[in-house]
Amino acid sequence: MLLNFTKKMRHFLRIQYTLFFFFTVTLLTFNPVFASQNLAPVGLSSLSGFDVEFAPIQKTEFINGQSLIGEVNFKPGVNYTVLFAFDVQQVRYLYPNGRMVEKGATIASVEGSDVHHFLDAYQSAKDMLAIAKSHYDINQQHLKNKIIRSSEWVEITKSYFEAKLNFEHMQHQMAFLNIDDNENVTLVSPKTGILKLTNESGNRVMGDTAFDIIDASSIRVKIKVPLSFTNTLAHFKLSQSCSLNIESYDSIADKYHQIVWASPSSNECQLRLGQTIKVTPVNKLTGFKIAKSAVFEFEDVNYIALKSGDNLELLPIELKGTQGKDYVFTANKNLDDQQVLISSVSALQGMLLHLGRE
Protein backbone atom coordinates (compact mmCIF):
# COMPACT_ATOMS: atom_id res chain seq x y z
CA MET A 1 0.00 0.00 0.00
CA LEU A 2 2.75 2.39 1.01
CA LEU A 3 4.74 1.37 -2.05
CA ASN A 4 1.87 2.25 -4.41
CA PHE A 5 1.44 5.63 -2.74
CA THR A 6 5.14 6.38 -3.16
CA LYS A 7 5.01 5.48 -6.87
CA LYS A 8 1.99 7.73 -7.42
CA MET A 9 3.72 10.65 -5.69
CA ARG A 10 6.83 10.22 -7.82
CA HIS A 11 4.72 10.15 -10.97
CA PHE A 12 2.88 13.30 -9.86
CA LEU A 13 6.13 15.13 -9.04
CA ARG A 14 7.60 14.10 -12.40
CA ILE A 15 4.62 15.64 -14.21
CA GLN A 16 4.85 18.81 -12.14
CA TYR A 17 8.58 19.11 -12.87
CA THR A 18 7.99 18.67 -16.60
CA LEU A 19 5.33 21.41 -16.62
CA PHE A 20 7.62 23.70 -14.63
CA PHE A 21 10.48 23.08 -17.07
CA PHE A 22 8.39 23.99 -20.12
CA PHE A 23 7.01 27.05 -18.34
CA THR A 24 10.56 28.21 -17.49
CA VAL A 25 11.77 27.70 -21.07
CA THR A 26 8.78 29.69 -22.34
CA LEU A 27 9.64 32.59 -20.04
CA LEU A 28 13.30 32.55 -21.07
CA THR A 29 12.52 32.57 -24.78
CA PHE A 30 9.89 35.27 -24.45
CA ASN A 31 11.11 38.50 -26.08
CA PRO A 32 12.06 40.83 -23.17
CA VAL A 33 11.57 43.91 -25.39
CA PHE A 34 8.00 42.88 -26.14
CA ALA A 35 7.40 42.06 -22.50
CA SER A 36 8.58 45.48 -21.46
CA GLN A 37 6.85 47.48 -24.16
CA ASN A 38 3.71 47.94 -22.10
CA LEU A 39 5.32 49.70 -19.14
CA ALA A 40 2.76 52.00 -17.60
CA PRO A 41 3.35 55.74 -17.94
CA VAL A 42 4.99 57.44 -14.98
CA GLY A 43 3.54 60.65 -13.61
CA LEU A 44 5.78 63.71 -13.79
CA SER A 45 4.83 64.42 -10.20
CA SER A 46 6.89 61.39 -9.13
CA LEU A 47 10.00 63.42 -10.03
CA SER A 48 9.00 66.41 -7.91
CA GLY A 49 12.07 67.66 -6.09
CA PHE A 50 14.35 66.60 -8.94
CA ASP A 51 15.77 68.75 -11.72
CA VAL A 52 13.55 67.94 -14.71
CA GLU A 53 14.80 68.99 -18.14
CA PHE A 54 13.62 67.99 -21.61
CA ALA A 55 15.20 68.21 -25.08
CA PRO A 56 13.79 67.65 -28.57
CA ILE A 57 14.62 64.49 -30.47
CA GLN A 58 16.59 65.11 -33.66
CA LYS A 59 16.30 63.10 -36.84
CA THR A 60 19.47 61.74 -38.37
CA GLU A 61 20.20 60.19 -41.74
CA PHE A 62 23.71 58.98 -40.96
CA ILE A 63 25.63 56.97 -38.42
CA ASN A 64 29.38 56.57 -37.99
CA GLY A 65 30.90 53.12 -38.24
CA GLN A 66 34.15 51.73 -36.88
CA SER A 67 37.32 53.22 -38.33
CA LEU A 68 38.90 51.68 -41.43
CA ILE A 69 42.34 51.98 -43.02
CA GLY A 70 42.72 53.82 -46.32
CA GLU A 71 45.67 54.03 -48.71
CA VAL A 72 46.27 57.25 -50.65
CA ASN A 73 46.83 56.11 -54.21
CA PHE A 74 45.69 56.63 -57.78
CA LYS A 75 43.70 54.39 -60.06
CA PRO A 76 45.74 52.28 -62.50
CA GLY A 77 46.11 53.97 -65.86
CA VAL A 78 45.71 57.62 -64.84
CA ASN A 79 49.48 58.15 -64.53
CA TYR A 80 51.32 59.78 -67.45
CA THR A 81 54.47 57.70 -67.97
CA VAL A 82 57.68 59.02 -69.50
CA LEU A 83 60.03 56.31 -70.84
CA PHE A 84 63.76 56.38 -71.49
CA ALA A 85 64.27 56.85 -75.24
CA PHE A 86 67.71 55.21 -75.04
CA ASP A 87 69.92 53.28 -72.64
CA VAL A 88 71.09 55.48 -69.76
CA GLN A 89 74.09 54.83 -67.54
CA GLN A 90 73.42 57.63 -65.07
CA VAL A 91 70.40 59.74 -64.18
CA ARG A 92 70.29 62.63 -61.68
CA TYR A 93 66.81 63.61 -60.57
CA LEU A 94 66.43 67.28 -59.68
CA TYR A 95 63.20 66.93 -57.67
CA PRO A 96 62.39 64.61 -54.78
CA ASN A 97 59.79 61.92 -55.16
CA GLY A 98 56.26 63.25 -54.71
CA ARG A 99 57.03 66.90 -55.51
CA MET A 100 54.52 68.92 -57.52
CA VAL A 101 56.16 69.98 -60.80
CA GLU A 102 55.07 72.28 -63.61
CA LYS A 103 54.78 71.40 -67.28
CA GLY A 104 58.20 71.82 -68.94
CA ALA A 105 60.10 71.56 -65.65
CA THR A 106 63.52 69.89 -65.90
CA ILE A 107 63.15 66.60 -64.01
CA ALA A 108 66.53 64.92 -64.52
CA SER A 109 69.82 64.98 -66.39
CA VAL A 110 70.93 61.80 -68.16
CA GLU A 111 74.27 60.49 -69.35
CA GLY A 112 75.43 57.53 -71.40
CA SER A 113 77.00 56.55 -74.72
CA ASP A 114 73.60 55.87 -76.28
CA VAL A 115 72.47 59.44 -75.60
CA HIS A 116 74.54 60.82 -78.49
CA HIS A 117 73.66 57.83 -80.68
CA PHE A 118 70.01 58.71 -80.19
CA LEU A 119 70.66 62.34 -81.14
CA ASP A 120 72.47 61.18 -84.28
CA ALA A 121 69.59 58.81 -85.07
CA TYR A 122 67.11 61.62 -84.62
CA GLN A 123 69.00 63.89 -87.02
CA SER A 124 69.32 61.01 -89.50
CA ALA A 125 65.58 60.31 -89.33
CA LYS A 126 64.90 63.99 -89.91
CA ASP A 127 67.19 64.06 -92.98
CA MET A 128 65.75 60.81 -94.35
CA LEU A 129 62.25 62.20 -94.08
CA ALA A 130 63.27 65.33 -95.99
CA ILE A 131 64.79 63.20 -98.79
CA ALA A 132 61.81 60.82 -98.89
CA LYS A 133 59.40 63.75 -98.94
CA SER A 134 61.23 65.40 -101.85
CA HIS A 135 61.30 62.10 -103.76
CA TYR A 136 57.60 61.58 -103.03
CA ASP A 137 56.60 65.06 -104.25
CA ILE A 138 58.59 64.75 -107.51
CA ASN A 139 57.24 61.32 -108.37
CA GLN A 140 53.70 62.30 -107.45
CA GLN A 141 53.81 64.66 -110.44
CA HIS A 142 55.39 61.94 -112.56
CA LEU A 143 52.50 59.64 -111.64
CA LYS A 144 50.00 62.21 -112.88
CA ASN A 145 51.94 62.49 -116.13
CA LYS A 146 52.12 58.67 -116.33
CA ILE A 147 55.92 58.75 -116.46
CA ILE A 148 56.40 56.05 -113.76
CA ARG A 149 54.68 52.74 -113.23
CA SER A 150 52.18 52.19 -110.42
CA SER A 151 54.43 49.59 -108.78
CA GLU A 152 57.27 52.12 -108.53
CA TRP A 153 54.90 54.67 -107.03
CA VAL A 154 53.80 52.16 -104.41
CA GLU A 155 57.42 51.61 -103.28
CA ILE A 156 58.09 55.39 -103.20
CA THR A 157 54.95 55.98 -101.15
CA LYS A 158 55.83 53.15 -98.77
CA SER A 159 59.34 54.53 -98.20
CA TYR A 160 57.99 58.03 -97.58
CA PHE A 161 55.41 56.99 -94.99
CA GLU A 162 57.88 54.69 -93.22
CA ALA A 163 60.34 57.61 -92.93
CA LYS A 164 57.52 59.88 -91.76
CA LEU A 165 56.34 57.39 -89.11
CA ASN A 166 59.88 56.80 -87.85
CA PHE A 167 60.59 60.51 -87.51
CA GLU A 168 57.28 61.21 -85.77
CA HIS A 169 58.06 58.44 -83.27
CA MET A 170 61.45 59.94 -82.47
CA GLN A 171 60.00 63.44 -82.43
CA HIS A 172 57.51 62.30 -79.80
CA GLN A 173 60.43 61.04 -77.69
CA MET A 174 62.28 64.30 -78.25
CA ALA A 175 59.32 66.16 -76.76
CA PHE A 176 60.46 64.87 -73.32
CA LEU A 177 64.07 65.95 -73.88
CA ASN A 178 65.90 69.22 -73.69
CA ILE A 179 69.33 69.53 -75.39
CA ASP A 180 71.61 72.49 -74.80
CA ASP A 181 74.39 73.77 -77.06
CA ASN A 182 76.89 71.34 -75.49
CA GLU A 183 74.52 68.44 -76.18
CA ASN A 184 73.78 67.94 -72.49
CA VAL A 185 70.45 66.10 -72.29
CA THR A 186 67.77 66.56 -69.64
CA LEU A 187 64.29 65.09 -69.23
CA VAL A 188 61.37 67.49 -68.92
CA SER A 189 57.85 67.05 -67.60
CA PRO A 190 55.11 66.88 -70.25
CA LYS A 191 52.42 67.90 -67.75
CA THR A 192 51.81 69.63 -64.44
CA GLY A 193 51.37 67.13 -61.64
CA ILE A 194 52.94 65.05 -58.90
CA LEU A 195 56.30 63.48 -59.73
CA LYS A 196 56.51 59.76 -59.05
CA LEU A 197 59.93 58.15 -59.41
CA THR A 198 60.71 54.47 -59.86
CA ASN A 199 62.63 52.57 -57.20
CA GLU A 200 64.76 50.58 -59.62
CA SER A 201 68.54 50.93 -59.45
CA GLY A 202 71.33 50.17 -61.91
CA ASN A 203 71.35 50.83 -65.66
CA ARG A 204 68.19 52.13 -67.30
CA VAL A 205 67.52 50.72 -70.71
CA MET A 206 65.41 52.05 -73.54
CA GLY A 207 61.72 51.61 -72.77
CA ASP A 208 62.10 51.63 -68.98
CA THR A 209 60.05 54.12 -66.98
CA ALA A 210 61.94 57.34 -66.30
CA PHE A 211 59.17 58.85 -64.15
CA ASP A 212 55.42 59.24 -63.87
CA ILE A 213 53.35 62.40 -63.59
CA ILE A 214 50.17 62.08 -61.53
CA ASP A 215 47.48 64.70 -61.94
CA ALA A 216 46.71 66.01 -58.44
CA SER A 217 42.99 65.77 -59.17
CA SER A 218 43.32 62.02 -59.76
CA ILE A 219 44.42 61.22 -56.20
CA ARG A 220 42.09 58.67 -54.65
CA VAL A 221 41.87 56.80 -51.36
CA LYS A 222 41.67 53.04 -51.64
CA ILE A 223 39.63 51.56 -48.78
CA LYS A 224 38.76 47.93 -48.10
CA VAL A 225 35.28 47.79 -46.54
CA PRO A 226 33.13 44.87 -45.34
CA LEU A 227 30.61 43.73 -47.95
CA SER A 228 27.79 44.37 -45.45
CA PHE A 229 28.68 48.12 -45.56
CA THR A 230 28.34 48.64 -49.28
CA ASN A 231 24.54 48.97 -49.42
CA THR A 232 24.34 51.69 -46.76
CA LEU A 233 27.69 53.46 -47.18
CA ALA A 234 27.28 57.22 -47.79
CA HIS A 235 30.82 58.65 -47.53
CA PHE A 236 33.92 58.65 -45.32
CA LYS A 237 35.11 61.20 -42.81
CA LEU A 238 38.81 61.93 -42.35
CA SER A 239 38.53 65.01 -40.14
CA GLN A 240 36.10 67.82 -39.35
CA SER A 241 37.21 69.68 -42.49
CA CYS A 242 37.75 66.68 -44.78
CA SER A 243 35.36 64.06 -46.06
CA LEU A 244 35.89 61.51 -48.81
CA ASN A 245 33.23 61.06 -51.48
CA ILE A 246 32.67 57.57 -52.85
CA GLU A 247 33.65 57.44 -56.51
CA SER A 248 33.44 53.77 -57.40
CA TYR A 249 33.54 50.18 -56.17
CA ASP A 250 35.71 47.39 -57.51
CA SER A 251 33.37 44.79 -58.98
CA ILE A 252 35.47 41.89 -57.68
CA ALA A 253 35.17 41.17 -53.97
CA ASP A 254 38.10 40.11 -51.78
CA LYS A 255 36.38 37.39 -49.71
CA TYR A 256 34.35 39.39 -47.15
CA HIS A 257 35.52 42.81 -48.32
CA GLN A 258 35.27 45.09 -51.32
CA ILE A 259 37.58 47.86 -52.52
CA VAL A 260 36.08 51.36 -52.53
CA TRP A 261 37.75 54.30 -54.28
CA ALA A 262 37.01 57.65 -52.65
CA SER A 263 38.03 61.18 -53.64
CA PRO A 264 38.83 64.07 -51.26
CA SER A 265 36.10 66.68 -50.91
CA SER A 266 38.50 69.63 -50.81
CA ASN A 267 42.15 70.69 -50.62
CA GLU A 268 41.77 70.74 -46.83
CA CYS A 269 42.35 66.97 -46.87
CA GLN A 270 46.05 67.45 -47.75
CA LEU A 271 46.63 63.86 -48.84
CA ARG A 272 50.01 62.49 -49.90
CA LEU A 273 50.58 59.58 -52.27
CA GLY A 274 51.50 56.43 -50.38
CA GLN A 275 50.09 57.75 -47.12
CA THR A 276 48.09 55.41 -44.85
CA ILE A 277 45.15 57.09 -43.15
CA LYS A 278 42.37 56.16 -40.74
CA VAL A 279 38.88 56.99 -42.02
CA THR A 280 35.43 56.76 -40.48
CA PRO A 281 32.71 55.23 -42.65
CA VAL A 282 29.43 57.13 -42.54
CA ASN A 283 26.42 54.92 -43.21
CA LYS A 284 22.90 55.89 -44.22
CA LEU A 285 20.29 55.37 -41.49
CA THR A 286 16.72 56.51 -40.89
CA GLY A 287 16.86 57.16 -37.17
CA PHE A 288 17.11 59.66 -34.36
CA LYS A 289 19.64 61.02 -31.91
CA ILE A 290 19.42 62.33 -28.36
CA ALA A 291 21.81 63.11 -25.51
CA LYS A 292 23.29 60.01 -23.92
CA SER A 293 21.88 61.09 -20.57
CA ALA A 294 18.34 60.46 -21.91
CA VAL A 295 18.82 56.69 -22.33
CA PHE A 296 18.39 54.24 -19.46
CA GLU A 297 18.14 50.48 -19.14
CA PHE A 298 15.39 48.46 -17.53
CA GLU A 299 15.16 44.67 -17.67
CA ASP A 300 17.89 44.53 -20.35
CA VAL A 301 16.01 46.93 -22.66
CA ASN A 302 17.03 50.50 -23.47
CA TYR A 303 14.38 53.19 -22.97
CA ILE A 304 13.76 56.90 -23.27
CA ALA A 305 11.10 58.85 -21.40
CA LEU A 306 8.83 60.94 -23.64
CA LYS A 307 6.85 63.85 -22.25
CA SER A 308 3.13 63.15 -22.66
CA GLY A 309 1.06 65.75 -20.87
CA ASP A 310 1.57 65.24 -17.15
CA ASN A 311 3.11 61.82 -17.68
CA LEU A 312 6.29 60.22 -18.98
CA GLU A 313 5.81 57.60 -21.69
CA LEU A 314 8.52 54.94 -21.49
CA LEU A 315 9.50 53.97 -25.04
CA PRO A 316 11.83 51.04 -25.85
CA ILE A 317 14.51 51.90 -28.41
CA GLU A 318 17.30 50.12 -30.30
CA LEU A 319 20.70 51.76 -30.02
CA LYS A 320 22.68 51.89 -33.27
CA GLY A 321 25.79 53.83 -32.27
CA THR A 322 27.05 57.21 -31.12
CA GLN A 323 27.66 60.65 -32.57
CA GLY A 324 29.79 62.68 -30.20
CA LYS A 325 27.74 63.19 -27.03
CA ASP A 326 24.58 61.69 -28.53
CA TYR A 327 23.17 58.21 -28.98
CA VAL A 328 21.79 57.23 -32.37
CA PHE A 329 18.76 54.94 -32.19
CA THR A 330 15.67 53.64 -33.95
CA ALA A 331 12.17 53.19 -32.56
CA ASN A 332 8.83 51.80 -33.72
CA LYS A 333 7.14 55.19 -33.41
CA ASN A 334 7.10 58.56 -35.11
CA LEU A 335 9.09 60.83 -32.81
CA ASP A 336 8.63 64.14 -34.64
CA ASP A 337 8.30 67.10 -32.22
CA GLN A 338 8.72 64.80 -29.21
CA GLN A 339 10.39 66.01 -26.02
CA VAL A 340 12.60 63.59 -24.06
CA LEU A 341 13.69 63.67 -20.45
CA ILE A 342 17.46 64.30 -20.28
CA SER A 343 17.96 65.05 -16.57
CA SER A 344 17.17 63.03 -13.42
CA VAL A 345 16.88 59.97 -15.65
CA SER A 346 18.73 57.87 -13.07
CA ALA A 347 16.11 58.84 -10.51
CA LEU A 348 13.39 57.58 -12.85
CA GLN A 349 15.35 54.38 -13.42
CA GLY A 350 15.69 53.91 -9.67
CA MET A 351 11.93 54.22 -9.22
CA LEU A 352 11.33 51.57 -11.88
CA LEU A 353 13.87 49.22 -10.33
CA HIS A 354 12.24 49.67 -6.93
CA LEU A 355 8.83 48.85 -8.41
CA GLY A 356 10.36 45.85 -10.14
CA ARG A 357 11.46 44.38 -6.80
CA GLU A 358 8.00 44.49 -5.24
Side-chain angles (χ1 to χ4, degrees), residues 73-198:
N73 209 321
F74 56 91
K75 281 190 172 183
V78 301
N79 51 310
Y80 193 104
T81 302
V82 175
L83 306 177
F84 287 113
F86 37 76
D87 294 352
V88 174
Q89 278 69 55
Q90 188 176 53
V91 55
R92 295 187 180 90
Y93 289 103
L94 307 180
Y95 291 95
N97 200 13
R99 176 69 61 85
M100 177 67 72
V101 296
E102 298 294 328
K103 179 179 179 180
T106 301
I107 303 301
S109 62
V110 293
E111 294 182 13
S113 58
D114 284 352
V115 174
H116 297 288
H117 293 163
F118 174 80
L119 297 180
D120 292 341
Y122 172 76
Q123 186 60 47
S124 176
K126 186 176 180 180
D127 293 341
M128 286 300 299
L129 176 59
I131 294 170
K133 178 67 167 61
S134 176
H135 193 51
Y136 175 84
D137 292 340
I138 293 171
N139 284 279
Q140 188 176 38
Q141 187 62 43
H142 291 340
L143 180 65
K144 291 179 181 180
N145 297 329
K146 298 182 180 181
I147 299 176
I148 63 171
R149 294 189 298 271
S150 297
S151 58
E152 291 178 317
W153 172 247
V154 169
E155 290 299 320
I156 293 170
T157 302
K158 182 180 178 181
S159 297
Y160 166 64
F161 281 106
E162 285 179 349
K164 186 173 184 291
L165 184 62
N166 182 51
F167 177 72
E168 287 177 349
H169 173 69
M170 299 196 72
Q171 193 174 39
H172 175 72
Q173 294 175 311
M174 284 291 290
F176 306 126
L177 304 177
N178 182 56
I179 306 167
D180 64 15
D181 295 337
N182 297 320
E183 292 192 345
N184 295 315
V185 180
T186 54
L187 305 181
V188 298
S189 175
K191 300 181 68 176
T192 297
I194 300 169
L195 175 66
K196 182 177 183 296
L197 305 179
T198 61

Side-chain angles (χ1 to χ4, degrees), residues 286-340:
T286 301
F288 308 91
K289 64 179 181 177
I290 193 64
K292 292 180 180 179
S293 61
V295 179
F296 66 94
E297 184 180 304
F298 180 66
E299 295 184 352
D300 298 324
V301 179
N302 293 304
Y303 284 87
I304 56 174
L306 302 175
K307 185 177 182 182
S308 179
D310 294 331
N311 294 320
L312 293 173
E313 178 187 350
L314 307 180
L315 180 71
I317 63 172
E318 183 178 354
L319 295 181
K320 294 295 185 179
T322 61
Q323 282 187 10
K325 298 180 180 180
D326 296 332
Y327 275 131
V328 177
F329 66 92
T330 57
N332 295 323
K333 182 177 180 178
N334 183 9
L335 299 178
D336 290 346
D337 302 322
Q338 294 286 326
Q339 296 284 322
V340 179

Side-chain angles (χ1 to χ4, degrees), residues 68-74 219-224 260-262 271-279:
L68 299 171
I69 299 300
E71 176 190 350
V72 182
N73 209 321
F74 56 91
I219 288 182
R220 298 293 181 266
V221 181
K222 181 181 178 182
I223 307 165
K224 184 183 288 188
V260 177
W261 293 91
L271 302 177
R272 293 180 180 272
L273 283 176
Q275 180 183 8
T276 298
I277 58 177
K278 184 182 291 186
V279 299

